[in-house]
Amino acid sequence: MKIVHLIQHTHWDREWYFTENDSRTLLYYFMQDLLTRLEQDSALGPFMLDGQTVVLEDYLQVAPEQRERLQTLIRQGRILIGPWYTQTDFMVVGAESITRNLLLGKADGEAWGGYMPVGYVPDSFGQSAQLPLFLREFGIDCAVIWRGWCEHDVPASEFTWCAQNGSRVTTAVLPWGYGCAKWLPVDAAQAAQHLPAILEKQARFSLTGNLLLPNGNDQSPCEYAVPAMLDTLNHRQQAYRFERSSFTAFFSALQATGCPLPVWRGELLSPKYMRVHRGIYSTRMDIKQLNARLEQFVSQTLEPLLAMNGRLGLPYPQQALENIWRGAMKSQAHDSIGGCNADRVNRMVKARLCDGLESAQQLFELNMAMLAGGITACREGKKIIVFNALPYERDTHVRLTLYTPQPDFCIVDEAGVACRWQLLHEAPQDMSLIVQELANSTTTTWYRKCDILLEVKALPACGYQTLFLQEGEAAGFDTASDAIDVLENRWLRLALIHGQLTLEDKRSGQRYPGVLRLVDGGDAGDNYNYSPPPEDWKISSDGCLTGRHGVRGPLNDTLTLTWRIPAPRDAAAREARQCNAALEVTMILILPHDQPWLDVEIEVNNTLRDHRLQVEIPVGVSQAFHFADQPFGLIERENQPAALRHWQAENWTEAPASLWPMQSLVMLHNETRGLCVVTEGLREYEIPAHQPETLAITLFRSVGWLGKPDLLWRPGRASGMALPTPDSQLPGLYRAHFAVLPMAQGQNASFWRAVEQWRTPACGYLDTGWSRFRTNPHGLHFPARYSLLSWDCGLHFSTLKKAQHGNALLLRGWNPGLTPLHCGQPVAEGSCRRVTLAETPTGETDEVVTAGTPVSWLID
């Protein structure tokens, strides 16, 4: 006899083709019905509320008076909540966001009376190889997933799943989804005819006689008559024993069988049985970039600044930060961040991220102003505060905007030594738009607005130093720029030869011709999936260069290139081979004098529809695998998935295309040759089938439908709803930013240090004395130079923040590569102890950190 574990639940999308306002209104009536049914029938339950506590938050917004009823049922274990705050995506959302999602979900669950200790991930578009790591760090040893699994990866629907560092969780797959047993007949005779087909499919890949029967669906109410109907079936047949159950009870029963489970290491992105929608990595790339910018700014700039200021005596606005994170997480749910929504919803997703960034930037400005206000100037001039979040001292360049009425200015350090800087851009500025006190003036005050790059030496570890802007003084060094044709420093050389860019690594002598070639092709897909037209017509930047201008400045070399690329306006024009529009593209290539990377900024005026724009980077390395980053780790992937050879014959739900997600980095290399691309918010790359030695970075794609049927790479029904989404064509100006790093000696320590330097810039603040808002002086005094702590090791910095509970600080780093690293202990005032991502004691004392492993310290 097989034991069938009935899991009654709902899958609650907060937004999709409907808005969060729609779902919150529905939630009021859904919860009213659920609470009443459970109170009236003590035999009902448990009912699982989709594993995310945000549902409770939403409900209390419309029914705060129901808190006590709800909390009683949660404490009784009849409503199961958590462990997540929202059902996040795992492929394009960052590691700190995933960590905070569980941290806030855990805090919510504990406040409500307990949470489900199961990593329930019912609808994420693919599964990260690091999911077991996150769960085990929070004391969770079981996971339930749906999308991404197939028997070609692991032969059973129950298995042991190992993360990169060896963290293990027992995992169960819902092979036919969380809605496979929705809307069951309540008549036992009818159910007896209906259920066997469902249960046979559920048992197809199962190793034991324990089967999961998920009874629920999207925004579906509790099917309260089902348990009694199954009780009746228990008396009418002997093949199955139906139990009112939970995932926790299922895993206990699975363990009791003693059945050995197969082991799987890696991610799960197979679309054999269920679509994983690989196109979401590049859908609404503007939203992806904004999310990445918010994640990075809050975790690696704002929180470290607030942590430092807190130790100096300023208040730490913990609730304000939590509000920012909660707002971001509402935009990081699988549909939301995927961009596979109605246009109205995507606007709401973007607005939440903009709100979070606005709040974060205001916190930054006010805290830098308060910091500057406590520093006594030791030089003439306006104070410039330069902050370094990284826990080691470094020399760096900082972008800074200055407003000055003077034609000349000098920036000096505490000793009066002039600092070098380079003018990036200058424009006149009406100061009444900047300074509140001038807003009502009858005269206009014009200043120079100067965007500069400032060289800073020996910037303290996790700290700041003070410089001084002296207006009307000569710069103190030669600021002249020279016209050039070639960019060159001690490591690299970039030349434009016959309209093609060639990058040379002077360390190894390796040359990379044809880099940064723009290629525009058709996209016949929708918000879920890229799909090539039946006969694509690709247009490149070859022969379309209209302008070039090279400059050698004090700190870097710059080459500005402009293209006008004739191209089809839309799908119809592409099919007709008609170039009736053009892409106007500007590319700014920057080669720092003191760093081994090429910085790339691209601006596109997008007037086209139904297309995808990529930048191709030929590497010239012939091998079967490459590497990309994943949350707190690195993953090795096939250049061309083997499943491409048989997906059509096996009727897969979509093509296992060589379109891959990344956090920010992809590299293709061997021992002597290779290139790495590090991006700011770009989440998708491809290794084209006909160009296996090329990295193609997707800049963006333009599509006009939420869902379309019968795509070339996704046959059959439309995903989602067949709704027009004209905003997803991304009309107007679009910008992208990334760096190219040649890999002369593979993944060595200097390479990883360069990667971290690029993606974690220092920041500056000019204390002009002007402000939109006034605050009273705090009366504190700070040194002109300060370092909170240091932790100089090979780990990459993840965050520094106040602990979730108490006044300790939480410092986190992670091993980004493939080899173990020695981490040592931070040097700081106060005691240091190792903790988990959940900020609980770990007892770990080993200073050798395995690949793909985060290390967190509490500093009292």
Side-chain angles (χ1 to χ4, degrees), residues 45-114:
F47 187 90
M48 185 181 63
L49 212 52
D50 203 35
Q52 52 177 336
T53 62
V54 71
V55 180
L56 309 175
E57 184 178 299
D58 286 346
Y59 179 55
L60 289 188
Q61 287 187 17
V62 292
E65 72 280 1
Q66 302 300 334
R67 173 184 283 274
E68 186 175 342
R69 292 177 68 197
L70 179 55
Q71 187 145 27
T72 297
L73 291 166
I74 291 171
R75 285 175 173 166
Q76 291 173 351
R78 299 182 64 208
I79 291 180
L80 304 177
I81 64 172
W84 305 100
Y85 174 62
T86 61
Q87 280 290 349
T88 188
D89 176 85
F90 289 92
M91 294 301 171
V92 298
V93 168
E96 279 298 328
S97 289
I98 297 170
T99 301
R100 309 307 175 87
N101 199 312
L102 276 169
L103 198 63
L104 293 178
K106 176 176 180 286
D108 288 352
E110 290 171 344
W112 278 101

Side-chain angles (χ1 to χ4, degrees), residues 297 301-318 320-321 324 358-375 383 385-387 464 763-767 770-771 773 775 778 780 782:
F297 182 71
T301 297
L302 178 60
E303 287 179 327
L305 173 66
L306 296 176
M308 182 189 72
N309 280 3
R311 285 297 171 96
L312 290 170
L314 293 172
Y316 189 98
Q318 189 158 9
L321 285 167
I324 292 172
E358 187 176 64
S359 297
Q361 289 172 333
Q362 185 57 235
L363 281 170
F364 174 83
E365 292 287 330
L366 288 173
N367 273 270
M368 289 296 266
M370 288 189 288
L371 180 61
I375 297 172
K383 287 171 281 190
I385 312 301
V386 182
F387 174 67
Y464 67 85
C763 56
Y765 174 81
L766 173 64
D767 182 31
W770 307 321
S771 176
F773 310 108
T775 58
H778 48 64
L780 300 173
F782 310 131

Side-chain angles (χ1 to χ4, degrees), residues 24 35 41 100 198 290 340 344 351 526 540 627 647 746 818 854:
R24 191 181 298 114
L35 298 182
D41 184 352
R100 309 307 175 87
I198 296 174
L290 185 60
C340 42
R344 162 71 172 148
D526 53 24
S540 79
F627 300 94
W647 77 276
L818 296 172

Side-chain angles (χ1 to χ4, degrees), residues 603-713:
E603 181 179 277
V604 183
N605 183 19
N606 182 35
T607 60
L608 311 185
R609 297 186 293 273
D610 314 318
H611 72 119
R612 180 183 68 171
L613 183 63
Q614 294 182 312
V615 58
E616 291 185 351
I617 303 173
V619 182
V621 171
S622 180
Q623 59 186 36
F625 296 92
H626 66 279
F627 300 94
D629 61 347
Q630 60 180 344
F632 289 139
L634 197 66
I635 191 162
E636 181 181 85
R637 294 187 175 122
E638 298 175 285
N639 290 1
Q640 296 300 315
L644 281 170
R645 295 191 289 269
H646 53 76
W647 77 276
Q648 289 173 306
E650 295 183 359
N651 296 316
W652 286 31
T653 61
E654 70 179 73
S658 187
L659 286 169
W660 303 105
M662 59 179 165
Q663 292 283 292
S664 66
L665 174 152
V666 59
M667 53 187 158
L668 178 60
H669 70 94
N670 56 27
E671 293 79 9
T672 60
R673 181 181 177 88
L675 293 175
C676 171
V677 181
V678 190
T679 77
E680 190 178 83
L682 302 181
R683 296 302 207 211
E684 179 184 278
Y685 68 92
E686 180 182 19
I687 298 184
H690 61 287
Q691 297 170 278
E693 299 179 6
T694 296
L695 295 173
I697 309 300
T698 304
L699 298 179
F700 65 93
R701 65 189 194 97
S702 300
V703 291
W705 289 87
L706 173 55
K708 291 170 63 177
D710 296 319
L711 302 183
L712 189 64
W713 283 5

